[in-house]
Each structure stands twice: as C-alpha cells, then as structure tokens.
Amino acid sequence: MRRTRTDRFTRGVRAAGAAAVGVLALVTLTAGCKVETVGAAEPTALPAETSSPPSATPSRTPSARPSPQPSTLMSVGDRSKRVRELQARLRQIGHFDRSPTGYYGTATVASVQSFQGKRGLARTGRTDTVTWERLLAMTRRPTAKELDPPATPAAAKPDARCMKGRVLCISKNSRTLSWIIDGRIVSTMDVRFGSQYTPTREGTFSVYWKSRHHVSTLYDSPMPYAMFFSGGQAVHYSSDFAARGYDGASHGCVNVRDEGKIASLFAQVRNGDKVVVHR
C-alpha cells in the first residue's frame, strides 16, 4: 500500500516537472531568445563573399581612375645642369646638333619636338616625365666632355685684309674670331653677332678703347673684356651667349662665350690693332 502511494507521488512530481519545463521553453521562445543545445558546435560563419543572401544585388566594382597627366620637368626659359644633360643626351642620338649650353631655348624646343615626333609622343617641345624616361632608356650618361665640350671652331679662311699686321679677323659666315699676327693664326673662338634690328657693322676698323669691367650705359648690361672698334660696338665676353648659345643675339657687339679665351685675347690686343668684320 505504501509502495503504491509512493509510486503515485513520484509520477506526480515527474509530471509537474515536465509541465514546468514545457512552460519555460514556451516563455523562452516567445521572448525571442535562441535555444542552443549544450555542447553543440559553434555555427560556422559564411565567407565574406557568400555571407549575403543569393538574392542580394552585388555591389558594382569602382571604375579604374584615369592615368595622371605627365608632369613637365623642363621647358623653354629654363637654365640648369639638367637642361645641359638633356641636350647632351639628345645629341647622342642625333636630335641636337650643337654643343650643350644648359639653356632651354628655341633650338632645344625644336630638338625635343623632333625626338617626341619620332617616338609617337605629343610634340609639345616640353620635356615631361614620359619624354625624359624614354630619352633616358635610349641614351647613356653623358661624359664631362659631352656636357661641356671644348670650343674649338674651325677657323674661316682669313680675309685678305687680315693677312698683314695685328688683326682681329671676324667672319660672320663661320661665326668665328681669329686673332692673327702677320698672317699667322694665334687663336680662334666662336662669336655671336647682333640681330637684324641691331646688326654688327661690317668693314675695317681699329680698336680705340679697352675696358676690362665695362657696363653698357645704354642697356645697363655687363660687357667684360670690352674692346671697342666702331662707336658703341665692341668685342666682349657675354655670359648670355655662354648660357643660351645662338638662341639669342647681341645689340650689335661681337659676343665671345669662352671667358678664358677672351681674357687671354684682351691681354694681347692693343689700342690701334686692326679689326676686320666680313662675310
């Protein structure tokens, strides 16, 4: 009798416990919680590429940015060692037919345009990053002589008026000045003349005044080692000629760009020495 009552009691307790568990589960589900089985494996997250539902619209790939425009490294009016290197490299491959000056003038613009045209680049005449890199790939580093070659122009055949006495014999055709004593050429240097608006006068003259540190009163420009032969026209050193070469012109004077040679000539020439300017 006691066993029967105990069994009934036990069954009642179990039934009450099961009912309580059911109520607790119902409450948990309605509260929004997630029921997890104790000891179950952690859910594996989907890879980033597949974490979106299949029906989601894929994001667009951003379009590629346009290539930046090449920047200009050198252009007309610049004066630097880098310009001199540019000219020397262009000369190596036949696009610059004169000695480097370090000045970016019209001759350099034309040379760069020639190089650009041969390589299918825009003929701007400016040296941009693309032009410079292409030139570097095609040339080697210039030597010291290529960057600053000695000025040794071929002397023109002396005019007959230059064959007697002490004469500064100046040829416009060859753009040279020869210092001649009794028919013997002592030295030769390249020279530059005036423009069509301020031409250098031709004829036979004589040196009437020497001025070592002369400054032009008309143009307020230095004229070192000046040797005057016709009015305000003189043979003198020109730093502008040394920098720009034949891209510029004088105001009628005979410019010399080799300071060492003009200094030596100035020391030898005397007042009264003949000057002949001819074609």
Side-chain angles (χ1 to χ4, degrees):
M1 186 66 178
R2 290 180 178 176
R3 289 181 179 178
T4 302
R5 289 180 180 177
T6 301
D7 293 341
R8 288 178 180 175
F9 177 76
T10 301
R11 287 196 297 270
V13 171
R14 289 176 178 175
V21 172
V23 172
L24 179 60
L26 179 60
V27 172
T28 302
L29 288 173
T30 56
C33 295
K34 182 178 179 181
V35 178
E36 296 182 1
T37 305
V38 177
E42 289 287 336
T44 304
L46 292 173
E49 293 82 355
T50 59
S51 59
S52 300
S55 59
T57 303
S59 59
R60 293 184 177 179
T61 303
S63 58
R65 294 181 180 179
S67 300
Q69 293 296 319
S71 57
T72 299
L73 302 177
M74 292 167 274
S75 59
V76 65
D78 289 346
R79 181 183 284 109
S80 67
K81 292 181 179 179
R82 199 177 197 184
V83 173
R84 186 179 290 272
E85 180 182 352
L86 166 70
Q87 294 166 337
R89 287 181 180 272
L90 288 170
R91 190 176 187 184
Q92 287 178 11
I93 53 178
H95 287 280
F96 194 73
D97 61 355
R98 57 194 66 191
S99 297
T101 63
Y103 178 76
Y104 207 116
T106 54
T108 305
V109 170
S111 298
V112 171
Q113 287 176 331
S114 174
F115 174 79
Q116 290 170 329
K118 289 286 187 180
R119 304 299 174 276
L121 304 175
R123 292 170 54 89
T124 63
R126 300 186 303 274
T127 302
D128 54 34
T129 50
V130 174
T131 302
W132 182 242
E133 289 172 3
R134 187 72 61 85
L135 181 61
L136 291 180
M138 296 182 61
T139 56
R140 54 176 169 73
R141 182 184 295 275
T143 64
K145 286 186 177 181
E146 288 176 323
L147 290 170
D148 191 15
T152 54
K157 181 179 180 180
D159 186 271
R161 293 169 290 179
C162 302
M163 300 310 293
K164 292 182 180 180
R166 300 161 57 89
V167 188
L168 293 174
C169 193
I170 303 167
S171 169
K172 285 188 172 182
N173 286 338
S174 66
R175 297 189 293 195
T176 58
L177 180 157
S178 294
W179 170 230
I180 302 176
I181 299 178
D182 294 330
R184 180 178 64 88
I185 298 176
V186 178
S187 62
T188 301
M189 56 204 75
D190 49 348
V191 292
R192 184 178 72 172
F193 304 99
S195 68
Q196 61 177 324
Y197 305 106
T198 55
T200 302
R201 289 183 282 274
E202 299 175 24
T204 301
F205 312 93
S206 62
V207 175
Y208 69 87
W209 181 37
K210 295 172 61 181
S211 179
R212 167 66 181 84
H213 301 287
H214 193 78
V215 177
S216 171
T217 56
L218 183 61
Y219 300 105
D220 193 30
S221 58
M223 298 169 56
Y225 304 103
M227 294 172 279
F228 289 89
F229 61 87
S230 177
Q233 295 189 357
V235 175
H236 67 85
Y237 170 72
S238 169
S239 59
D240 182 74
F241 183 27
R244 299 175 59 193
Y246 292 102
D247 288 330
S250 74
H251 291 101
C253 289
V254 179
N255 291 163
V256 178
R257 62 178 167 188
D258 189 318
E259 189 171 8
K261 287 189 174 184
I262 187 68
S264 176
L265 180 65
F266 185 85
Q268 298 175 60
V269 171
R270 308 168 188 162
N271 286 340
D273 285 346
K274 188 189 296 184
V275 178
V276 176
V277 182
H278 64 96
R279 289 286 174 181

